[in-house]
Amino acid sequence: MAPPAACLIGWPAAHSRSPIIHNYWLKSLGIAGNYRIEAVKPDQFASFLGELAARGYVGANVTMPHKERALELARGDARARAVGAANTLWFDSGVLCATNTDVEGFVGNLDVSAPGWDRAGGDVLVLGAGGASRAVLFGLLERDIAKIYLANRTRGRAEALARQFGERVKPIGWEDVAAALSRAKLLVNTTSLGMKGQPPLEIDVAALPADAVVADLVSVPLHTPLLSAARARGLRTADGLGMLLHQAVGGFALWFGKRPTVNAELRALVEADLTK
Ligand code: ATR
């Protein structure tokens, strides 16, 4: 029998770090298996999923542009449904199931980067109201955060998320961010600001409390201006690479039966690829 395999399904088959991550874990845990990229056009995605097991796959990651369709075609859990998109598929008694591991990637990364972050009290301030923000909000709510201020350039999108996620999410205006910083024990950037080729995120980290934690979902560049400024002030930070690594743990465990750990060697391997 062929060893178990998983794949990343995307179109175009973008350069992804997932093969580096999963093949590192397979090797270091001594599991015979493999993980590869499958370029699948949107009009072939449904039939590809229908043949997933026949092609020898125990599961898959899904990326652009298939994440919403994946949720329609598989049995989504609460996380995938809340985010409105799936990034991880596996079989449970032959049924194709879907989750969104960005939720645990965000929270798991915070747990190791800033232990106790969820016991600090104070406000949480989330910037951005796109797909990444949904995963962050759901993770924060799962961890019983009482109040989350949500700011987005287009206010209507923040208000829509507040309606979806309930009264613990409070939309505020983009112009109110500066004033909200002084009470924010956790600041999370889910916008594309600070990403390579995008404008910087104009935030004065000096306005944050001295024990604040700053998380940035941007991973290119790894050291975003926001994170660099936060570190220069001595604040604890959680970066986009950490989230990327931690979101991969759950899929691997579902497919290959062992829960891997994110270690420094893996981080260095992926960091080298990100910065080359
Ligand atoms: P993702 O799924 O990665 O979250 P997205 O849905 O495209 O991506 O969301 C991008 C986020 O970055 C949005 O919150 C977007 O704000 P709008 O909803 O107003 O578009 C935010 N964003 C992008 N460019 C921005 C800019 N120049 N200033 C402020 N916010 C910006």
Side-chain angles (χ1 to χ4, degrees), residues 149-225:
Y149 290 96
L150 178 63
N152 194 53
R153 174 180 60 178
T154 310
R155 188 178 174 129
R157 289 184 90 190
E159 284 166 356
L161 288 196
R163 281 194 295 279
Q164 180 191 341
F165 286 98
E167 60 187 23
R168 285 192 280 158
V169 177
K170 312 268 182 211
I172 63 169
W174 192 245
E175 64 287 355
D176 300 325
V177 167
L181 290 173
S182 65
R183 298 182 315 272
K185 290 292 181 81
L186 173 64
L187 171 70
V188 186
N189 176 41
T190 78
T191 75
S192 47
L193 294 173
M195 199 180 280
K196 190 175 168 192
Q198 299 292 318
L201 176 63
E202 308 280 359
I203 288 281
D204 180 12
V205 297
L208 289 164
D211 57 350
V213 174
V214 177
D216 198 341
L217 271 54
V218 170
S219 60
V220 181
L222 190 51
H223 304 283
T224 61

